[in-house]
Amino acid sequence: MNTKTIFKIHWSESIWFFDIDDTLIDTAGNTLNASEGIKRVFSAKYTKDQSQLVQNNFNNIFELMLSGYRVKDEDDWRKVKGGKEVFNNLLNDIENSQIRIKEKYGVIKKWSREVFVKLAAEKAGLKVTPALVHEAVDAYWLILTEQTIAYPHALNLIQKIKARSRPIYLITSSDGRLKMDNEGQFDYDPQYSAALKRQRIELLREKGVIFNAVSIGDPEDKPHQDFFEKGLKIAENDLGSILDTSHVIIVGDSFGGDLQTPKEKMGFGLVVLFEKDRSNTEVVDEHQITTGILSEVANFLV
Ligand SMILES: [Mg+2]
């Protein structure tokens, strides 16, 4: 039994927002398989060992980014291989490949697989062409999308929400689909990047993910408040009315990325932190629960 009280949200007023990657689907878990596509594309030009090395480097970069991204406090850095310094070095390398993007937008696309592939190849001692990088990343996303399965407990929650005829919005980071030039610098076209992500997300409907609309983080991305404001606006347009954020529930796998801004700056009624390896549900405070079983979130509404 939970003894802490939770802010009451009525089913009849509830509006649902979901992060997608690693909340509804196991994106990180599928990335290892998907990186086979990178190896396959590289092996047309390089030896088996070189291609394997690029794949391994790519997976290490992804893993480091993921563990760094999930850090909630200073203590958590001990769980990150190499710690904060190695993570910051990687972020530096990523940033140095996006000088024009940083100038134009003030921020970089941290999760761009195009940048990961370039860095992975450089680390393997290979100088790559833009065409090779783009082809490798296309292959990666294609495999990842084809193999995606939505978490059953997430689909169960979606079915409960739909049984109450309440709206669902997906709010997702940019995939950072960048274009490399011959010098290894990257450019960003928000419309191109968003269109590719939209294709990937639409395929989720076939996997049982029902939603009213999707908001994509191109160019404004999480955790900036504009990212969430854009999502609210898309929901308001869909519903034809102004939203009261205290009726809104948002579900994500990163407190800092998905939940902190809605909770602390925007008055969302409830934020739900999904932790894949957790087998229970815990009330953190009046406006937050942490769970490994998304279907249990339904029990907290009245
Ligand atoms: Mg996520």
Side-chain angles (χ1 to χ4, degrees):
M1 262 309 273
N2 285 303
T3 50
K4 289 179 194 164
T5 51
I6 193 95
F7 181 76
K8 294 284 180 235
I9 297 175
H10 291 268
W11 269 111
S12 61
E13 294 172 328
S14 65
I15 310 285
W16 294 80
F17 278 80
F18 286 89
D19 169 50
I20 298 173
D21 292 305
D22 301 302
T23 296
L24 297 179
I25 60 174
D26 189 8
T27 311
N30 276 313
T31 198
L32 285 176
N33 291 333
S35 69
E36 287 290 323
I38 295 167
K39 182 173 76 178
R40 197 180 62 215
V41 168
F42 269 78
S43 66
K45 194 175 168 191
Y46 296 104
T47 68
K48 199 172 161 226
D49 286 350
Q50 285 171 319
S51 308
Q52 184 65 62
L53 189 54
V54 172
Q55 183 188 8
N56 293 349
N57 291 345
F58 176 91
N59 287 335
N60 289 338
I61 289 169
F62 187 89
E63 189 53 46
L64 180 55
M65 281 300 286
L66 195 64
S67 47
Y69 176 65
R70 284 181 175 160
V71 164
K72 280 172 281 181
D73 50 50
E74 281 300 315
D75 241 23
D76 284 347
W77 284 110
R78 282 182 298 151
K79 296 181 214 157
V80 178
K81 216 201 270 174
K84 199 173 184 174
E85 194 187 333
V86 173
F87 177 72
N88 284 338
N89 286 343
L90 171 60
L91 275 187
N92 243 3
D93 289 342
I94 293 171
E95 189 163 332
N96 288 336
S97 301
Q98 301 184 44
I99 291 168
R100 287 191 294 265
I101 296 171
K102 177 95 193 218
E103 272 171 15
K104 189 166 174 191
Y105 295 94
V107 289
I108 55 160
K109 289 298 181 191
K110 290 181 189 164
W111 290 91
S112 171
R113 307 303 198 268
E114 283 84 354
V115 176
F116 292 0
V117 167
K118 185 202 84 162
L119 294 176
E122 276 178 354
K123 208 161 179 231
L126 308 177
K127 186 159 169 28
V128 285
T129 62
L132 186 69
V133 169
H134 299 153
E135 195 187 333
V137 175
D138 283 346
Y140 166 88
W141 281 118
L142 184 67
I143 294 176
L144 195 138
T145 303
E146 283 172 354
Q147 294 190 354
T148 291
I149 297 168
Y151 289 121
H153 57 87
L155 291 179
N156 189 284
L157 176 59
I158 285 172
Q159 281 155 14
K160 286 178 177 174
I161 296 166
K162 281 295 134 189
R164 305 266 188 165
S165 303
R166 298 310 304 164
I168 294 173
Y169 301 99
L170 305 183
I171 182 158
T172 180
S173 222
S174 166
D175 278 346
R177 299 301 303 267
L178 305 181
K179 291 182 174 168
M180 194 177 103
D181 70 10
N182 289 320
E183 278 69 51
Q185 277 296 314
F186 288 83
D187 287 299
Y188 173 45
D189 173 354
Q191 284 175 335
Y192 165 83
S193 184
L196 289 172
K197 178 110 193 196
R198 199 171 296 278
Q199 279 176 18
R200 172 158 92 82
I201 298 316
E202 282 299 325
L203 289 172
L204 292 181
R205 293 189 192 273
E206 292 166 19
K207 319 250 178 186
V209 178
I210 305 162
F211 57 94
N212 290 50
V214 56
S215 180
I216 297 171
D218 289 301
E220 54 278 285
D221 214 331
K222 61 176 78 163
H224 199 284
Q225 190 164 334
D226 287 349
F227 168 81
F228 298 100
E229 298 286 359
K230 179 176 158 184
L232 289 178
K233 210 155 280 162
I234 285 172
E236 287 177 345
N237 284 339
D238 180 59
L239 294 168
S241 59
I242 300 296
L243 284 192
D244 176 344
T245 52
S246 73
H247 301 154
V248 181
I249 301 123
I250 186 164
V251 184
D253 68 299
S254 161
F255 181 75
D258 301 316
L259 308 178
Q260 192 167 18
T261 306
K263 182 185 181 187
E264 295 175 3
K265 295 190 177 157
M266 300 173 77
F268 277 45
L270 182 63
V271 304
V272 179
L273 180 63
F274 171 59
E275 289 183 352
K276 188 184 170 187
D277 297 324
R278 182 185 273 267
S279 58
N280 66 354
T281 300
E282 184 194 333
V283 176
V284 177
D285 60 37
E286 203 187 357
H287 292 284
Q288 185 182 339
I289 59 179
T290 300
T291 184
I293 310 152
L294 288 180
S295 47
E296 290 187 357
V297 177
N299 303 339
F300 290 87
L301 275 77
V302 292

